Amino acid sequence: MISDRPLRLRILLLFAALAGAVLAAILAALVIAGWRMSLSGVAATSIVDALALAALIAGLGCLGATAGIWMLFDRYLARPIEALAGGLRTGQAPEEPDTRYLADLGPAVREAAQARARAAEALSRAVEEHASELAHEKETLENILADFGAGAIMADAHGRIMFYNSAAARLLRGIALDRRLDRYISSGAIEAASARLAAGVDATDLVCLTADGERMNARMRRVDDGILLILRDRTSAAAVPRDRLEALRRHAATLVPMLDALEGPMPPELARAIQHEGRGMARETKALSELLSGKGPTGRARLVELAAGLSSDAALPNLVVLADAGEMNALLRHLDKSLRDEGLTPAFDILLDDPAEPHLCLVWSGNPVPMARLDEWLSYAPDCAQPDLSGADILAMHGTGIWSEAISGEQARLVLSLLLAEDGHLPAGLTYDFALGKRAVAASRLSDLTCVVFDTETTGLDVTDRIVQIAGLRIAGGRLTGESFDTLVNPGREIPPGATAIHHITNEMVADAPDVRAAVTAFHHFTAEAVLIAHNAPFDMGLLHAIRDETGVHFENPVLDTVLLSAMVWGQSADHSLDALAERLSIEIPPEARHSAMGDTIATAEIFLRLVPALEAKGIETFEDVIQRARQFRNLIADANQAAPKSG
């Protein structure tokens, strides 16, 4: 096809066709002229001579003119166009003499080529800087991990070692890449920890035995299809006060049937016996508390970790208790198996009568287990990695006990109490920004700002309404750091049904939540020294300013508003709602997350990060640039920085 031919050849063929058409027209004209002359009586010889001469002159003239015009067209249009195409493809600007007949096309192509060269150079610099940052971060992390006191080992889905640091090499002699992990660490503890991870937790603690028989504390988490194991030398365990614990159990075992026999007036002998056993329990409890003072469990575990491998009739709350996950889960599984060996079918349950001390239960249909039988079960070592640690030892190390009791409906249960972790959650994972040290302390470039994007849910749409939820995400150096804040707030008043219909927060959900003073104080601590970012910031900041006298907390942070930033990019007439911005920037907000504080915060953070390059392209690069441009949009939205009341 002609469209597949080079441009110059196509133009040549076009002019050849044009020349052929002109010659055909001349020939037709000469034939008609000869025919007319023959009708006029002119001799045929004269007609032929005249027409032949005319045909020769017209044909040569036509061919010469066509060839000349083609040569000019080829030289000043076709060749420069091919040069322009090559320049566009290679990024090289063509020479000006070669494009002088192309009017504005030549300068436009040169400018485009130069812009492309600048963009390529900037991209190359950015890639080099990013590669340098990645190399620096890699080197820094390698240095940290190399000298980290804990041993770090990563294994793939088949148990082959892919990574280890120097501390791991010291702890596990002979460790090498592409060898199986169970060559150095007993597989039983790894398999039990894997079962706890499969229950839905990110990481779990365990105690494992090395091939040399040494016992180590460890923490394991999933990484892709493999595992990451952090090993630490296990400190010598404190002596377990078995005699005190057994004495306490004996008193309890004696006291329980006495209490069950209480029907009608109490005989004096029974009262004295109960008094004696009660004093004995108090004495032994005090002694046990003194022995265990400061020696409680250091680990933290979620309830789903402790219940891994056990059947449960209900979903477990997302609570974190003070317990060593491996030891306590092994004990509960051992007790579960012991009950099943007795023909019973226990189910794991949780009692929350005391908010600070959850009670873990194994519930079954039938009679309670006698204390002597329970003591027998507790005399065995449930954790294969710690064969010298009995169930009673595990309870003593946790400063707790377990007992059997009857409940209504001809059911019974084993009850184990553990303390709730104070903050109720596990610490976050690795957080870093090594580029922070290269940026100025008071950097005001939008891409360098340290910000907290936040959102609130309230009892209404007026600044006199109350906050019922507040969430925030930290951004540093143009990326989310992974640090977050999210809490429900007890507003101190009823939440109207209309508000609940929007954000789905009920009065029951906030009944035990922190009050506004505690929540706002914690949020103020989270936002210290950061720029605050919100969508429709005057409303959210107005809520915080309205309660400053009640909370004693003053938010004097600089503020950015994504509504205002959107107007600077698309103009005031565009739709600047959160949903419109998310759709315009291809940001998906899950329906269940919309109108939740954290869901809207995530969307606002993504919107801000995508608006920054567009703002910089318009010359709005710093916080000061935004403040200066904000004056042009006073009719659209107030400046939250000017709306903030000044402290007296």
Side-chain angles (χ1 to χ4, degrees), residues 159-172:
R160 295 175 301 179
I161 297 173
M162 301 186 296
F163 163 89
Y164 63 90
N165 64 351
S166 58
R170 290 194 300 269
L171 295 172
L172 303 175

Side-chain angles (χ1 to χ4, degrees), residues 4-219:
D4 298 330
R5 306 294 182 182
L7 176 64
R8 294 180 63 200
L9 178 58
R10 280 184 280 169
I11 292 176
L12 175 61
L13 293 176
L14 179 63
F15 274 92
L18 178 62
V22 172
L23 290 175
I26 293 174
L27 181 60
L30 292 175
V31 170
I32 293 173
W35 176 67
R36 294 288 299 273
M37 291 174 65
S38 64
L39 294 178
S40 301
V42 180
T45 304
S46 300
I47 294 174
V48 171
D49 291 340
L51 292 180
L53 180 60
L56 179 62
I57 295 173
L60 291 176
C62 173
L63 290 175
T66 303
I69 296 173
W70 168 78
M71 291 178 63
L72 293 174
F73 200 96
D74 181 69
R75 179 177 179 180
Y76 297 114
L77 290 177
R79 290 182 183 180
I81 288 174
E82 285 191 338
L84 289 180
L88 287 173
R89 291 191 177 97
T90 61
Q92 302 296 321
E95 298 294 332
E96 184 176 356
D98 295 334
T99 61
R100 62 179 180 271
Y101 294 104
L102 297 179
D104 291 338
L105 183 59
V109 170
R110 283 195 299 275
E111 291 171 5
Q114 292 167 358
R116 175 178 173 176
R118 289 194 299 270
E121 183 180 357
L123 179 61
S124 177
R125 285 198 306 269
V127 170
E128 290 178 2
E129 291 175 0
H130 184 60
S132 176
E133 289 180 4
L134 290 178
H136 174 68
E137 291 182 1
K138 177 176 178 292
E139 181 182 0
T140 303
L141 287 173
E142 286 177 348
N143 291 335
I144 292 172
L145 288 173
D147 296 324
F148 196 54
I153 305 172
M154 187 180 294
D156 65 8
H158 303 288
R160 295 175 301 179
I161 297 173
M162 301 186 296
F163 163 89
Y164 63 90
N165 64 351
S166 58
R170 290 194 300 269
L171 295 172
L172 303 175
R173 290 179 296 177
I175 189 173
L177 295 176
D178 203 22
R179 290 181 179 175
R180 290 187 59 83
L181 180 61
D182 57 16
R183 181 173 178 175
Y184 306 97
I185 296 176
S186 61
S187 59
I190 300 296
E191 292 171 358
S194 297
R196 294 195 295 275
L197 291 178
V201 295
D202 298 326
T204 186
D205 294 319
L206 65 150
V207 177
C208 53
L209 288 175
T210 69
D212 297 331
E214 295 183 12
R215 189 174 300 156
M216 294 185 181
N217 286 326
R219 186 163 180 82

Side-chain angles (χ1 to χ4, degrees), residues 311-430:
S311 63
S312 179
D313 297 331
L316 299 175
N318 186 25
L319 297 179
V320 179
V321 295
L322 295 176
D324 293 316
E327 298 172 357
M328 194 57 66
N329 176 245
L331 174 59
L332 290 171
R333 294 176 70 168
H334 167 65
L335 294 174
D336 180 83
K337 181 178 182 302
S338 300
L339 289 168
R340 293 182 185 277
D341 290 343
E342 298 285 329
L344 304 173
T345 54
F348 184 83
D349 197 7
I350 181 76
L351 294 177
L352 297 175
D353 297 336
D354 185 348
E357 190 173 359
H359 289 74
L360 282 58
C361 303
L362 290 175
V363 184
W364 66 90
S365 297
N367 298 320
V369 174
M371 287 296 295
R373 188 63 169 158
L374 180 58
D375 284 340
E376 181 183 346
W377 293 346
L378 294 174
S379 65
Y380 291 98
D383 190 350
C384 61
Q386 305 181 84
D388 56 342
L389 198 64
S390 69
D393 295 334
I394 292 174
L395 292 174
M397 292 174 64
H398 283 75
T400 187
I402 190 169
W403 62 91
S404 178
E405 64 182 20
I407 54 178
S408 60
E410 297 183 352
Q411 288 186 319
R413 63 189 174 197
L414 293 178
V415 183
L416 168 65
S417 65
L418 292 173
L419 293 177
L420 190 68
E422 289 184 3
D423 53 4
H425 64 273
L426 295 176
L430 185 66

